[in-house]
Amino acid sequence: MKLVVIGTGYVGLVTGACLAETGHHVVCVDIDREKIEALKKGVIPIYEPGLEEILVRNVAKQRLQFTTDLASAIPAAEILMIAVGTPPNEDGSADLSHVLGVAESIGKQLNGYKIIVNKSTVPIGTGDLVYEKIKSLTTHDFDVVSNPEFLKEGDAVNDFMKPDRIVVGASNDRAEAMMRHLYAPFQRTGHRLIVMDVRSAEMTKYAANAMLATKISFMNELANLCETVGADITSVRYGIGSDTRIGQQFLFPGVGYGGSCFPKDVSALNRIATAAKKPLRILNAVEEANSRQRLRLVEKVVEHFGEDLTGRTFALWGLAFKPRTDDMREAPSIYTTNELIKRGAKVRGYDPAAMKEAKRVLGEKVALFDDSYGLLDGADALLIMTEWQEFRDPDFERVKQHLKTPVIFDGRNLFEPAEMKAMGFEYFCIGRK
Ligand code: NAD
């Protein structure tokens, strides 16, 4: 099939590359000239394991192209996929200006029947808005389909190529048939396509992220309680996770959820519910718990070093919001850095993939080091913010030699408290004795 993917970010680029990999012809469009120029030269603007290989292969086979010119890409396409950002407005609702802007461009250029697939995460009813916008600008026939994306940054290629499920919201058989054809190569190992109406598909995406965020906030609050009542959240996690109704995944306490999706999607769903006069009280609590949890490690630092951190230096391992990505949107490291600086401390940082993003997002606030041990030199403590694999088994003797005092605040529970104590560290983690 001939496809156009509009928006070449984490979702659009992975979608375009993976669909090209299965034989479709894909044109990826973005308004960001720099990004498109880089991609044309084979330079990938994001860190996403496995993506480069697929991209290079499909560009070479001429199944994948990049352009900033949407108007010229539209006429030949059978399916147009919208994968632009839906960032939060100031009130927490989703900003639909990019999605509707694309709909307008499509409406102006439509030259025959096409399917417009919305992959961006959007409020319930956006499919209708997109339809109306295009309809007001064309006499050609078209359908709008919702196909929310569930990939996880850091494992996005794998998620796309071997999806747990593909949700399609379609309003008629013709659109459904085309979507089934598009995704046929991803269905070899089972019936992964779940077809429903457009609004239910839009809601499914928000519901999934809200459920996952709820799991995280619940575990975080439970972990904080464990500290006070003398229980250990790791044991509790195993204990409840072995119940198949609960499951082991997403039960890890830490320093709060971040990233480009959970915070904005929980917030957007909350605003939708409030506007509909059906408030989701549980999500208010999830958001509140997360705002507090993002500063949990600083609370522990203050308990140990006192309120005034003037003259102290803290070394952060991990700046991205999670491992295997360079994405720093809403990363807990940002909140931690700001709070430490507010209290007079100096902050140093290292991340295996997000150094460029860290420079852009944090600027001069953090002294960036490209060596994970170098930044410990003379620091008062090490703070672990992201559970990158390379932090799981460090050379503890080296860590101790570099730090001014052997103190570790571990926001990801990477180590065993008893072993850390035996090695001579003061070790503070989340919800463990
Ligand atoms: P992103 O910010 O990485 O990329 C969006 C891209 O769209 C940018 O490159 C931007 O320049 C481009 N763009 C904006 N307006 C445009 C226009 N008019 N024409 C062409 N390009 C335009 O965003 P993302 O993380 O890829 O997310 C995209 C959508 O997918 C969002 O709605 C997000 O919530 C959703 N989503 C994201 C993830 C994720 O893990 N990042 C997962 C699932 C769903």
Side-chain angles (χ1 to χ4, degrees):
M1 291 175 109
K2 290 195 169 58
L3 317 172
V4 170
V5 179
I6 307 148
T8 312
Y10 287 87
V11 168
L13 194 54
V14 171
T15 301
C18 291
L19 287 171
E21 179 76 356
T22 59
H24 299 298
H25 282 84
V26 184
V27 180
C28 285
V29 183
D30 206 289
I31 45 170
D32 186 334
R33 282 185 186 282
E34 228 176 281
K35 203 178 254 191
I36 292 298
E37 284 314 310
L39 282 163
K40 280 181 174 171
K41 289 183 196 129
V43 178
I44 308 214
I46 54 170
Y47 174 87
E48 186 57 55
L51 182 58
E52 185 169 5
E53 196 190 322
I54 294 186
L55 217 117
V56 168
R57 183 166 50 240
N58 284 283
V59 168
K61 299 221 169 194
Q62 296 183 334
R63 287 197 298 251
L64 186 58
Q65 289 169 277
F66 300 97
T67 182
T68 52
D69 187 1
L70 175 59
S72 71
I74 288 175
E78 294 156 85
I79 295 182
L80 305 166
M81 304 185 103
I82 305 177
V84 297
T86 46
N89 286 314
E90 261 184 25
D91 66 354
S93 60
D95 174 1
L96 288 180
S97 59
H98 303 290
V99 171
L100 295 177
V102 170
E104 187 171 340
S105 307
I106 293 173
K108 286 179 183 161
Q109 298 299 329
L110 220 58
N111 59 334
Y113 179 78
K114 295 182 200 306
I115 292 192
I116 291 87
V117 177
N118 189 18
K119 283 202 91 56
S120 299
T121 303
V122 291
I124 299 95
T126 302
D128 293 339
L129 295 181
V130 169
Y131 185 88
E132 282 154 23
K133 174 63 91 184
I134 299 174
K135 191 81 195 152
S136 70
L137 294 161
T138 187
T139 51
H140 291 289
D141 197 13
F142 66 95
D143 280 305
V144 175
V145 166
S146 168
N147 172 216
E149 183 49 60
F150 295 97
L151 59 76
K152 299 183 290 295
E153 285 175 22
D155 207 16
V157 171
N158 197 35
D159 283 341
F160 199 97
M161 298 306 282
K162 295 178 193 149
D164 291 337
R165 79 307 207 185
I166 300 162
V167 170
V168 167
S171 50
N172 61 50
D173 294 346
R174 185 180 187 183
E176 182 185 329
M178 272 179 85
M179 293 305 285
R180 284 193 186 280
H181 183 58
L182 175 69
Y183 282 117
F186 302 88
Q187 301 250 59
R188 295 233 173 104
T189 54
H191 300 287
R192 310 241 174 249
L193 205 83
I194 304 170
V195 181
M196 56 185 78
D197 64 273
V198 174
R199 284 179 183 240
S200 300
E202 290 168 340
M203 176 61 109
T204 298
K205 175 63 193 176
Y206 277 124
N209 277 357
M211 174 71 92
L212 293 170
T214 303
K215 253 180 141 177
I216 295 174
S217 275
F218 177 72
M219 287 307 284
N220 283 337
E221 293 220 294
L222 218 55
N224 299 341
L225 180 60
C226 280
E227 289 175 11
T228 307
V229 298
D232 187 317
I233 193 68
T234 301
S235 305
V236 175
R237 176 168 63 78
Y238 286 132
I240 61 172
S242 52
D243 182 333
T244 51
R245 292 171 303 175
I246 296 174
Q248 296 286 1
Q249 288 194 35
F250 255 74
L251 295 183
F252 294 83
V255 280
Y257 59 76
S260 66
C261 292
F262 288 176
K264 86 168 168 65
D265 293 349
V266 170
S267 171
L269 182 56
N270 227 350
R271 299 304 165 277
I272 292 165
T274 306
K277 297 201 166 40
K278 290 283 186 300
L280 291 168
R281 294 169 193 88
I282 208 161
L283 286 194
N284 285 324
V286 168
E287 285 195 293
E288 195 192 323
N290 198 57
S291 302
R292 294 197 60 145
Q293 198 69 18
R294 283 193 298 225
L295 296 177
R296 188 74 191 109
L297 227 46
V298 180
E299 274 174 21
K300 287 173 185 279
V301 168
V302 166
E303 273 167 33
H304 186 73
F305 289 107
E307 295 276 349
D308 183 6
L309 300 176
T310 310
R312 304 239 177 236
T313 300
F314 296 98
L316 269 52
W317 273 5
L319 301 166
F321 86 94
K322 69 173 188 176
R324 291 164 63 88
T325 183
D326 59 348
D327 198 341
M328 284 202 51
R329 289 178 280 190
E330 292 291 316
S333 66
I334 300 171
Y335 293 89
T336 301
T337 297
N338 289 340
E339 192 62 25
L340 290 172
I341 289 174
K342 206 169 91 190
R343 292 171 181 277
K346 287 198 168 61
V347 181
R348 298 173 181 169
Y350 164 77
D351 189 281
M355 299 295 267
K356 206 170 132 206
E357 268 305 281
K359 181 130 199 73
R360 192 182 66 76
V361 174
L362 293 166
E364 302 303 309
K365 288 182 187 172
V366 173
L368 294 171
F369 286 64
D370 48 22
D371 158 29
S372 59
Y373 291 93
L375 88 166
L376 304 178
D377 245 342
D380 290 273
L382 163 64
L383 274 63
I384 299 176
M385 303 303 304
T386 317
E387 66 276 35
W388 280 95
Q389 207 62 31
E390 70 174 65
F391 302 149
R392 287 183 185 273
D393 190 18
D395 181 340
F396 284 111
E397 269 315 306
R398 262 182 94 185
V399 172
K400 214 153 57 170
Q401 277 163 17
H402 282 276
L403 285 172
K404 189 153 75 182
T405 45
V407 185
I408 298 180
F409 296 91
D410 180 359
R412 300 295 176 181
N413 286 357
L414 297 190
F415 313 125
E416 277 304 316
E419 287 172 19
M420 298 304 288
K421 193 177 171 194
M423 283 190 283
F425 283 97
E426 283 191 86
Y427 178 67
F428 304 92
C429 50
I430 310 284
R432 307 202 64 189
K433 285 185 199 169

